[in-house]
């Protein structure tokens, strides 16, 4: 039977098939939803169990790439590829997407000899991808094929083959890419995550690529949030409390503490507005004319420069303090975290559940 006859027979079969009856009850519809998710979940578990040294090699090649990772694919695989580009870029691996159809019209020039290529195709037979695969391998640092099996034209052209396995689609008709695309994305994410760990990609590195929104605030460092020294109140420890208050008076909203430093500029104590209030509440007026060193908190709690803001907030929460000095490696103050500034920042968030001190 010729191909045309087979196609004709296929459509004739479809015409003779009874129409699909939509699920009528809530229970039936819920069962279908759960079944689809379970099918995709089972495919992910199966794919995870089948990953081998080739996937590790793919991550190592990605981590060692001196250029960009160029991801290509067509159709649903291309959409998955675009998402994986975002994953790679946000975790320290420069990446961009190359559409295979555009590649043959000049965009192959985007691929350089120090770039690494990820080619994604479930069947490994997508014409547009297979067509450019030899060129990609020849003109790059390597070609990684993410495909169902190791036996297809794309795999034949690759330096490294990550076989993700054949999986039953979660589509009721077994046609729409569902399980296969879920596996593609999960395996691609896994390779990208391992590559980032091989590069020792840290939370601080992650923060550099996510400066905006609630996530950016969560990953901000104390250096970005602290009041700089010119906005802080600083005094020597030998002067009186009254003198310290007068000397450090500033226009506008002041910090709630005076940092006391010795002649070498090293932080030796802190005196807060709460300390002053306690003196006044107890009518201990004479203490105002005593050396502030007798009333300051010695060896105050501090954090170092580049500490994550969420860690600093957790410290303030545990110690029940409202002001936290930021110091350098030699204990010299660089600035101050003031709880009023933190409260103002957190007040702008729409996601209170991610507050660093929620636990």
């Amino acid at each position: 039977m010729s191909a045309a006859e087979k196609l004709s027979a296929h459509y004739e079969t479809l015409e003779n098939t009874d129409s699909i009856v939509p699920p009528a009850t809530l229970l039936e519809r819920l069962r279908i939803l759960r079944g689809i998710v379970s099918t995709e979940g089972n495919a992910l578990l199966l794919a995870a169990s089948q990953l081998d040294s080739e996937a590790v090699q793919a991550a190592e090649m990605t981590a060692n790439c001196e250029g960009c990772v160029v991801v290509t694919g067509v159709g649903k695989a291309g959409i998955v590829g675009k998402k994986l580009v975002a994953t790679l870029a946000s975790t320290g691996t420069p990446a961009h997407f190359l559409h295979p159809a555009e590649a043959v019209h000049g965009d192959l020039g985007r691929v350089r000899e120090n770039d690494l290529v990820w080619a994604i195709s479930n069947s490994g037979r997508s014409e547009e991808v297979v067509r450019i695969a030899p060129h990609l391998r020849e003109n790059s640092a390597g070609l990684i094929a993410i495909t169902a099996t190791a036996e297809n034209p794309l795999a034949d052209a690759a330096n490294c083959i990550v076989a993700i396995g054949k999986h039953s689609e979660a589509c009721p008709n077994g046609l729409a890419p569902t399980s296969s695309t879920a596996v593609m994305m999960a395996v691609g994410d896994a390779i990208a995550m391992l590559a980032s760990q091989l590069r020792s990609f840290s939370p601080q590195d992650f923060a550099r690529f996510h400066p905006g929104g609630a996530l950016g605030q969560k990953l901000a460092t104390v250096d970005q949030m602290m009041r700089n020294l010119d906005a802080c109140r600083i005094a020597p420890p030998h002067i009186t409390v009254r003198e310290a208050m007068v000397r450090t008076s500033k226009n506008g909203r002041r910090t709630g503490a005076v940092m006391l430093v010795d002649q070498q500029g090293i932080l030796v104590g802190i005196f807060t507005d709460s300390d002053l209030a306690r003196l006044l509440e107890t009518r201990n007026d004479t203490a105002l004319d005593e050396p502030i060193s007798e009333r300051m908190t010695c060896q105050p709690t501090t954090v170092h420069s580049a500490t994550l803001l969420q860690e600093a907030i957790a410290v303030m929460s545990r110690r029940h303090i409202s002001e936290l000095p930021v110091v350098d490696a030699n204990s010299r103050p660089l600035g101050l975290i003031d709880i009023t500034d933190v409260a103002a920042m957190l007040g702008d968030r729409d996601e209170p559940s991610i507050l660093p001190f929620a636990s």
Side-chain angles (χ1 to χ4, degrees), residues 19-349:
S19 59
I20 298 176
V21 179
T25 67
L26 173 62
L27 184 61
E28 290 175 338
R29 295 173 183 179
L30 184 58
R31 178 181 57 80
I32 289 174
L33 287 176
R34 290 176 174 175
I36 290 171
V37 174
S38 295
T39 299
E40 292 195 10
N42 291 333
L44 291 173
L45 293 175
L46 178 59
S49 68
Q50 293 177 343
L51 290 176
D52 56 18
S53 59
E54 292 285 320
V56 175
Q57 181 186 354
E60 292 171 345
M61 292 171 66
T62 301
N64 295 327
C65 177
E66 297 180 354
C68 291
V69 173
V70 181
V71 183
T72 189
V74 69
K76 303 300 185 293
I79 295 173
V80 170
K82 292 177 181 178
K83 187 273 176 186
L84 293 178
V85 163
T87 297
L88 288 162
S90 69
T91 52
T93 302
H96 63 84
F97 182 76
L98 174 67
H99 195 290
E102 300 294 339
V104 296
H105 292 283
D107 279 5
L108 282 173
R110 295 185 180 186
V111 182
R112 303 165 299 171
E113 61 181 11
N114 62 344
D115 291 338
L116 179 69
V117 180
W118 287 17
I120 308 173
S121 171
N122 189 50
S123 68
R125 302 179 186 279
S126 300
E127 180 181 353
E128 299 90 339
V129 178
V130 171
R131 181 179 179 184
I132 63 174
H135 177 93
L136 294 175
R137 175 170 178 169
E138 181 180 353
N139 294 279
S140 69
L143 173 62
I144 297 172
I146 301 178
T147 182
T149 70
E151 299 177 356
N152 56 62
L154 178 59
D156 292 340
N159 302 97
C160 176
I161 307 162
V162 180
I164 61 175
K166 293 184 177 181
H167 305 279
S168 299
E169 302 292 5
C171 166
N173 298 318
L175 300 174
T178 44
S179 299
S180 59
T181 50
V183 170
M184 284 179 194
M185 187 173 297
V187 171
D189 280 341
I191 294 171
M193 293 302 99
L194 176 54
S196 72
Q197 291 187 49
L198 294 175
R199 285 184 165 183
S200 299
F201 192 76
S202 69
Q204 287 79 5
D205 295 323
F206 192 83
R208 289 190 295 115
F209 300 116
H210 298 78
L215 182 59
Q217 291 179 344
K218 184 178 179 181
L219 294 173
T221 63
V222 292
D223 307 76
Q224 298 170 262
M225 188 64 192
M226 70 182 183
R227 297 195 186 190
N228 295 324
L229 282 184
D230 57 359
C232 295
R233 295 191 286 169
I234 300 175
H238 64 270
I239 64 176
T240 67
V241 174
R242 192 187 306 274
E243 287 177 309
M245 294 297 104
V246 173
R247 284 194 192 185
T248 61
S249 177
K250 290 182 178 292
N251 294 327
R253 190 172 65 176
R254 65 182 188 180
T255 58
V258 179
M259 292 187 286
L260 291 312
V261 298
D262 63 16
Q263 293 181 344
Q264 287 74 42
I266 295 174
L267 182 71
V268 295
I270 190 170
F271 185 85
T272 68
D273 285 354
S274 295
D275 294 327
L276 177 63
R278 278 190 288 272
L279 294 179
L280 298 177
E281 289 168 359
T282 57
R283 300 183 183 279
N284 190 2
D285 296 352
T286 58
L288 297 177
D289 295 307
E290 296 174 357
I292 196 170
S293 58
E294 297 181 9
R295 299 294 174 176
M296 71 183 185
T297 299
C298 299
Q299 298 180 332
T301 300
T302 62
V303 291
H304 285 96
S305 173
T307 299
L308 286 178
L309 180 60
Q310 62 176 349
E311 295 177 11
I313 296 174
V315 169
M316 297 174 78
S317 178
R318 288 196 303 269
R319 299 296 180 88
H320 302 287
I321 56 178
S322 300
E323 296 83 16
L324 183 62
V326 179
V327 298
D328 63 14
N330 297 313
S331 296
R332 292 185 174 89
L334 300 173
L336 185 79
I337 298 293
D338 192 294
I339 194 63
T340 58
D341 298 330
V342 174
M345 181 196 74
L346 297 179
D348 293 334
R349 287 184 173 177

